Amino acid sequence: MQAAILLVKLAHLQEDNQRRLAIAEQYLQALEPIDLTLPHLLPGTTHAMHLFVIEHAQRDELRAFLQAASIGTAIHYPRAVHQQPAYQGRLTGSASLPNTERLIPRILSLPMYPELHEDQVQRVCGCLLAWHENQG
């Protein structure tokens, strides 16, 4: 059943990826003035923008602010891979990854899916701008 559904969705993959990229471009443009670390699009490359992950020192407060506005977010990586029980001690050179460990409590995924409507994207951006204004 799942394979049949995914086979139908595969025909729309290019269109869905284009929509994700359009949403990402809207986020990048609207959120540039805010004190967030945003994803970087490298010239000459194509990114599927499956996730739109931002970084902020007050991630949990920002997430709560968005949640209070009924905007869903996700923490896709609550632990680094090398900190997960299944991988502990199994990844060469991963006893200490300070940059990765520093990022884990700071990263948050914003809504990112092809069915996201323009007004929803604008609402997310507006709430993030309001958050930024309230911090100043």
Side-chain angles (χ1 to χ4, degrees):
M1 180 62 103
Q2 184 177 10
I5 292 169
L6 291 176
L7 189 58
V8 171
K9 287 182 67 79
L10 186 59
H12 303 281
L13 182 61
Q14 181 81 12
E15 180 183 332
D16 288 351
N17 285 345
Q18 288 297 91
R19 177 65 185 139
R20 283 188 189 97
L21 188 56
I23 293 167
E25 289 172 357
Q26 288 179 280
Y27 279 158
L28 290 169
Q29 184 177 2
L31 304 178
E32 181 184 10
I34 300 177
D35 182 28
L36 297 171
T37 301
L38 302 170
H40 300 286
L41 299 178
L42 300 175
T45 65
T46 303
H47 196 301
M49 282 296 161
H50 175 69
L51 300 175
F52 194 90
V53 182
I54 61 171
E55 176 190 346
H56 193 277
Q58 295 175 298
R59 186 259 326 257
D60 294 334
E61 292 86 350
L62 175 55
R63 187 176 196 210
F65 182 85
L66 293 172
Q67 184 176 9
S70 298
I71 294 174
T73 60
I75 299 173
H76 283 93
Y77 307 104
R79 276 194 213 171
V81 171
H82 72 284
Q83 295 172 325
Q84 296 182 27
Y87 291 100
Q88 285 182 343
R90 301 185 78 198
L91 301 174
T92 304
S94 67
S96 176
L97 299 174
N99 289 334
T100 300
E101 293 165 14
R102 179 186 62 79
L103 285 172
I104 291 299
R106 299 173 57 94
I107 57 176
L108 182 67
S109 297
L110 297 182
M112 175 55 77
Y113 50 95
E115 298 82 13
L116 203 60
H117 295 280
E118 292 299 317
D119 60 326
Q120 293 171 312
V121 174
Q122 293 305 315
R123 188 164 178 280
V124 171
C125 293
C127 282
L128 286 163
L129 290 167
W131 160 265
H132 176 69
E133 290 173 11
N134 289 336
Q135 298 304 301

